[in-house]
Amino acid sequence: MESVKKTLLERTSVRRYERESIPEETMNFIFDAIRNTPTSYNGQQFSVIDIDDQALKEQLYEMTGQKQLKTCNRLLIFCSDYHKMRLLANRKGIDMPNFTDTMDGTIIGIIDASLAMMSAVVAAEAAGLGSNCVGYLRTVDPLKLAQILNLPKGVFVVCGLALGIPREHPDLKPKQGNETVFFKNAYTKEEDKLTDDLMKYDEIVAHYNRTRSGGTTENDWCGHIIEYYRHAMDYKILDYLKSQGYNIEK
């Protein structure tokens, strides 16, 4: 096992994997880490779909264009899930409130699934695997994906995680420094100073993109991310959530 420090501070997103299978012992370790994830109320409002079928992975690749989906050995898809609680409540004769019709209920499922995915990332990295979080699975064609995965009402995809024996070792991407991430006791930093620090980080990212190994770009940080925001404005996620039984009203 890798050290905690190496696992957390040297993690990179891997998109190319060896054909070698992940040992079941390693997958069981990852599953145990996922199951032990802290969740809201210990409600465990998430489920994971473990995909090892190559034809299905390639179908998802055709949908997304994300090569890591077809080259990974295992693809874990993390879902917000209230279906299981509703089933049990019905069996026990307990009235299940429409918690999925609230913003808080929706957020809790997303948080639980996201925490579970991070548990998987840490466990996989500690075991020497490569990983890549694939958010595009959530947005590319959510209704079609729900059909492919046979998702019942109360369940929707939050994110995918590709896993495998790494064939590449990408450069470590620069992250924001302490000065723009951490605030003492309240969000108190003077805005001009914060903007100056963000500009410095933007320049660091631009330099990284111009000089990194494995393909360079002219992307900065701010413009590149805002372009993603612009593209994402066209996603019909609310319609998809409603189709999965999340009629958010408050």
Side-chain angles (χ1 to χ4, degrees):
M1 288 289 171
E2 302 287 358
S3 69
V4 172
K5 182 176 181 179
K6 180 178 176 64
T7 297
L8 293 177
L9 301 188
E10 297 183 18
R11 183 210 63 82
T12 60
S13 293
V14 173
R15 293 175 173 83
R16 297 175 68 246
Y17 305 93
E18 304 290 353
R19 295 185 181 275
E20 181 181 349
S21 296
I22 300 172
E24 282 305 301
E25 180 182 2
T26 301
M27 289 305 307
N28 288 335
F29 166 61
I30 294 170
F31 292 157
D32 286 343
I34 291 171
R35 291 190 303 101
N36 197 42
T37 295
T39 61
S40 299
Y41 323 120
N42 193 35
Q44 303 161 70
Q45 288 89 192
F46 74 92
S47 290
V48 184
I49 299 174
D50 173 23
I51 298 176
D52 62 359
D53 181 86
Q54 188 61 31
L56 178 52
K57 288 189 291 179
E58 292 188 10
Q59 183 180 7
L60 298 178
Y61 162 71
E62 291 298 328
M63 287 176 59
T64 63
Q66 302 287 304
K67 64 184 179 182
Q68 60 270 40
L69 297 182
K70 69 175 180 179
T71 63
C72 69
N73 180 251
R74 301 286 273 269
L75 174 63
L76 305 183
I77 298 184
F78 292 79
C79 302
S80 170
D81 187 349
Y82 287 95
H83 176 67
K84 293 182 292 187
M85 188 61 73
R86 189 176 297 278
L87 285 177
L88 184 57
N90 289 343
R91 174 70 63 86
K92 298 188 69 173
I94 300 173
D95 182 48
M96 176 79 171
N98 292 325
F99 194 39
T100 52
D101 292 352
T102 70
M103 197 66 218
D104 190 46
T106 305
I107 290 172
I108 283 174
I110 293 170
I111 291 172
D112 284 0
S114 300
L115 288 172
M117 184 176 69
M118 195 61 212
S119 294
V121 169
V122 173
E125 295 284 334
L129 299 181
S131 67
N132 181 252
C133 302
V134 188
Y136 196 35
L137 277 170
R138 181 187 70 255
T139 57
V140 61
D141 193 339
L143 290 174
K144 182 177 179 181
L145 185 59
Q147 292 172 350
I148 292 172
L149 300 179
N150 194 33
L151 301 184
K153 299 292 185 183
V155 180
F156 68 87
V157 171
V158 174
C159 198
L161 179 66
L163 298 174
I165 310 297
R167 184 181 288 185
E168 63 179 5
H169 298 281
D171 294 340
L172 186 66
K173 290 182 179 179
K175 303 294 185 180
Q176 292 182 53
N178 289 359
E179 65 278 4
T180 60
V181 174
F182 301 103
F183 302 89
K184 194 72 170 180
N185 296 321
Y187 202 112
T188 56
K189 192 157 189 175
E190 194 271 321
E191 289 192 353
D192 282 344
K193 180 63 169 67
L194 177 58
T195 306
D196 288 343
D197 289 336
L198 289 169
M199 280 292 297
K200 292 176 183 176
Y201 174 67
D202 192 78
E203 292 166 1
I204 290 171
V205 172
H207 175 74
Y208 165 82
N209 286 332
R210 289 193 301 268
T211 59
R212 67 184 183 184
S213 61
T216 61
T217 73
E218 291 301 318
N219 292 333
D220 61 359
W221 180 62
C222 180
H224 182 62
I225 298 302
I226 286 178
E227 188 57 34
Y228 166 76
Y229 295 162
R230 224 180 294 279
H231 177 70
M233 294 287 287
D234 293 331
Y235 297 152
K236 301 295 190 294
I237 299 301
L238 186 58
D239 292 341
Y240 165 56
L241 290 178
K242 289 179 178 178
S243 75
Q244 290 302 112
Y246 288 72
N247 298 301
I248 303 168
E249 298 176 350
K250 57 184 177 178

